[in-house]
C-alpha cells in the first residue's frame, strides 16, 4: 500500500470555527507491527468541541477528530499477533507511547513518561500529525488496537473507547467494584450514564446527581440507578450526607465541591473525570473525614481490554444515537447544548463515501 496516495477520506476542521467538511489525506504504509482498520463507526466526544475550536491553543489544522473508533481489520503487519483480517477492533484516545517507561510497562500507556501520542492533533514519532476516526480507515501499532467480541455491536462499542474507559479505569483503581458499596455519579451524559451502568454491574448502590429534573426518569428507569438527587436542592443533599463510599464526577461545567465532599463517608473518594473550570474546596472538607479527591485520564491498554471483555460478558451497551457524518456539525452543536441521549455515534461505513 503506497503511503503517498491520498486514499483516506475524512472530515476535518480547517480553523477555530471547528466546522467539519470533507478532506482527503494519506495514511502511512502498514509496518510490521501495524494494523490497518476499515472504520465502521466513531463516537463523538466533547474533545471534538475543545480541540477543533482550539480551546487549548494547540490546534494543528487541518484536524481530523474522533477517538472512539471501531471497525474491521483489513491488513496486518508481519509481526502482528492475536489480530487477523476480519477481526472487530477498536482504537481509543491514543495511538502511540514510548513503550519503555514504567507506566507503559504497567499497561498504563495513557500516563507515558515521555508523553502519550493522542489519536488526533498530536505529533507522532515520525513527525506527522495524527488524524482520527472521522475517516474511512486508520493504521495503528497493534499495541493500541483492541479486539472487540464478534457478537458485540460495533456501533455500541465505539463510546467504550473513551467515555467507557474514562469511568471504568478509576472505578477499578479505587475498588469501586465491591458489591454493596455506594456510588454517587455527578452528571448524566456520555460518561455519567456509563458510570451508572458499570456501578450497577458491579453491584453498587448508585445515586445520580443532576441539576436537571428532566434526567430523573432516564436515571431511574432506563439506566437502573437506585436514587436521583437534584444537586441544587439542599434538603435532598442533606438527606444523603455522609452516605457514599465513592463519587465519580463527570460534569465539565464549573460547580462547587464542598457540598459533594460532605456526602462522602470517612475515607471516601471523589474522582474527577470531567474537566470543570476550577476546583475550589475548603481544606476542612478533606481533613475532617480523611477524604480524598483524585483525577483520572482515559485508561491504559490493560484496563481497556478488561473493560471490553466485561461489557461483552455483562451485556453492557452504551445508549447511542447513530448519525450519518453529514450531520456531524449539527450533532456537535447539540452536544454543546447537552441535547443527546447519551452519545452520538457516526455511521462512517454507510455515510462517508
Amino acid at each position: 500500500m503506497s503511503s503517498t496516495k491520498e486514499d483516506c477520506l475524512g472530515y476535518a476542521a480547517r480553523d477555530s470555527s471547528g466546522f467539519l467538511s470533507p478532506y482527503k489525506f494519506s495514511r502511512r504504509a502498514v509496518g510490521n507491527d501495524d494494523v490497518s482498520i476499515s472504520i465502521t463507526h466513531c463516537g463523538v466526544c466533547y474533545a471534538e468541541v475543545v480541540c477543533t475550536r482550539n480551546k487549548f491553543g494547540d490546534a494543528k489544522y487541518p484536524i481530523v477528530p474522533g477517538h472512539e473508533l471501531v471497525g474491521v481489520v483489513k491488513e496486518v503487519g508481519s509481526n502482528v499477533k492475536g489480530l487477523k483480517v476480519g477481526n472487530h477492533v477498536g482504537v481509543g484516545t491514543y495511538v502511540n507511547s514510548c513503550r519503555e517507561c514504567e507506566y507503559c510497562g504497567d499497561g498504563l500507556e495513557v500516563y507515558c513518561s515521555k508523553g502519550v501520542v493522542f489519536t488526533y492533533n498530536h505529533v507522532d514519532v515520525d513527525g506527522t500529525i495524527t488524524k482520527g476516526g472521522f475517516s474511512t480507515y486508520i493504521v495503528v501499532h497493534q499495541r493500541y488496537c483492541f479486539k472487540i467480541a464478534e457478537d458485540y455491536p460495533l456501533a455500541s462499542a465505539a463510546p467504550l473507547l473513551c467515555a467507557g474507559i474514562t469511568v471504568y479505569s478509576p472505578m477499578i483503581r479505587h475498588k469501586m467494584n465491591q458489591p454493596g458499596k455506594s456510588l454517587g455519579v455527578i452528571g448524566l451524559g456520555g460518561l455519567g450514564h456509563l458510570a451508572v451502568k458499570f456501578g450497577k454491574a458491579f453491584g453498587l448502590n448508585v445515586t445520580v446527581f443532576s441539576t436537571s429534573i428532566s434526567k430523573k426518569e432516564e436515571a431511574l428507569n432506563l439506566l437502573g440507578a437506585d436514587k436521583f438527587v437534584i444537586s441544587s436542592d439542599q434538603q435532598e443533599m442533606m438527606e444523603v450526607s455522609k452516605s457514599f463510599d465513592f463519587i465519580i464526577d463527570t460534569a465539565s461545567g464549573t460547580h462547587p465541591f464542598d457540598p459533594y465532599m460532605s456526602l462522602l463517608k470517612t475515607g471516601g473518594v471523589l474522582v474527577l473525570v470531567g474537566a470543570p473550570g476550577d476546583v475550589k474546596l475548603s481544606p476542612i472538607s478533606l481533613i475532617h473525614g480523611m477524604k480524598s479527591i483524585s483525577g483520572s485520564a482515559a485508561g491504559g491498554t490493560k484496563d481497556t481490554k478488561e473493560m471490553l471483555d466485561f461489557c461483552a460478558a455483562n451485556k453492557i451497551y452504551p445508549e447511542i444515537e447513530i448519525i450519518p457524518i453529514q450531520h456531524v456539525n449539527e450533532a456537535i452543536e447539540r452536544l454543546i447544548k447537552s441535547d443527546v441521549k447519551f452519545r452520538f455515534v457516526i455511521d462512517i461505513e454507510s455515510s462517508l463515501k
Side-chain angles (χ1 to χ4, degrees):
M1 189 187 294
S2 161
S3 59
T4 52
K5 294 204 307 283
E6 291 194 343
D7 63 348
C8 190
L9 180 59
Y11 262 53
R14 267 72 167 195
D15 56 45
S16 60
S17 71
F19 186 81
L20 296 162
S21 57
Y23 171 65
K24 272 193 157 163
F25 62 102
S26 59
R27 294 283 191 191
R28 69 168 186 260
V30 178
N32 293 343
D33 291 299
D34 287 337
V35 180
S36 177
I37 304 159
S38 186
I39 299 171
T40 60
H41 300 84
C42 190
V44 181
C45 173
Y46 202 78
E48 268 74 84
V49 178
V50 175
C51 187
T52 60
R53 299 184 184 204
N54 200 20
K55 301 285 190 204
F56 292 139
D58 63 349
K60 300 166 185 63
Y61 298 108
I63 295 169
V64 177
H67 63 199
E68 294 182 336
L69 62 107
V70 293
V72 180
V73 175
K74 63 175 186 176
E75 191 181 338
V76 295
S78 56
N79 295 343
V80 173
K81 295 185 176 55
L83 290 171
K84 58 181 197 290
V85 172
N87 281 161
H88 289 183
V89 292
V91 175
T93 61
Y94 51 91
V95 291
N96 221 329
S97 64
C98 80
R99 304 197 273 278
E100 291 167 356
C101 71
E102 59 177 310
Y103 303 105
C104 286
D106 286 342
L108 289 165
E109 294 86 348
V110 72
Y111 302 110
C112 175
S113 294
K114 297 193 177 151
V116 69
V117 176
F118 291 124
T119 304
Y120 65 89
N121 193 51
H122 230 115
V123 182
D124 207 344
V125 283
D126 60 1
T128 59
I129 305 300
T130 55
K131 293 183 166 52
F134 289 15
S135 59
T136 48
Y137 80 98
I138 193 168
V139 177
V140 290
H141 187 285
Q142 60 178 333
R143 180 169 181 151
Y144 313 97
C145 180
F146 305 100
K147 202 165 178 182
I148 294 165
E150 295 293 315
D151 60 351
Y152 195 98
L154 279 171
S156 300
L160 297 176
L161 276 310
C162 172
I165 188 59
T166 298
V167 292
Y168 181 88
S169 187
M171 289 177 86
I172 295 299
R173 187 180 322 127
H174 294 285
K175 301 185 170 50
M176 298 188 199
N177 54 353
Q178 303 166 47
K181 293 278 178 94
S182 52
L183 169 72
V185 178
I186 305 172
L188 199 61
L191 279 73
H193 94 282
L194 283 167
V196 174
K197 287 183 184 249
F198 290 147
K200 291 308 297 176
F202 289 141
L204 304 180
N205 189 289
V206 182
T207 299
V208 170
F209 294 94
S210 178
T211 51
S212 169
I213 187 76
S214 65
K215 297 269 176 93
K216 183 172 184 175
E217 173 76 16
E218 285 161 359
L220 300 175
N221 298 337
L222 175 67
L223 303 172
D226 300 283
K227 198 174 169 76
F228 182 87
V229 171
I230 292 287
S231 51
S232 54
D233 185 321
Q234 283 178 311
Q235 182 60 37
E236 285 192 26
M237 292 286 276
M238 286 278 291
E239 285 167 12
V240 291
S241 176
K242 297 183 181 169
S243 65
F244 294 94
D245 295 290
F246 320 103
I247 294 176
I248 192 154
D249 186 351
T250 72
S252 49
T254 302
H255 55 281
F257 284 84
D258 292 306
Y260 291 111
M261 299 311 287
S262 71
L263 306 184
L264 288 169
K265 293 178 183 175
T266 297
V269 181
L270 182 143
V271 177
L272 278 180
V273 291
D278 278 321
V279 178
K280 289 196 175 82
L281 75 162
S282 158
I284 297 299
S285 289
L286 299 177
I287 295 165
H288 287 181
M290 200 171 64
K291 296 167 186 178
S292 54
I293 195 162
S294 171
S296 190
T301 55
K302 181 176 167 287
D303 283 349
T304 303
K305 286 174 186 153
E306 193 183 284
M307 175 207 59
L308 289 168
D309 291 345
F310 181 78
C311 288
N314 292 278
K315 298 191 166 30
I316 297 170
Y317 305 109
E319 302 295 326
I320 59 173
E321 181 177 336
I322 300 178
I323 57 162
I325 197 154
Q326 291 76 14
H327 292 180
V328 71
N329 291 298
E330 177 194 334
I332 286 172
E333 290 301 332
R334 282 181 53 197
L335 179 62
I336 294 167
K337 297 187 187 98
S338 301
D339 175 24
V340 52
K341 305 277 192 285
F342 285 84
R343 200 65 154 186
F344 284 119
V345 172
I346 302 168
D347 184 343
I348 299 283
E349 187 178 40
S350 302
S351 64
L352 186 53
K353 289 179 164 47

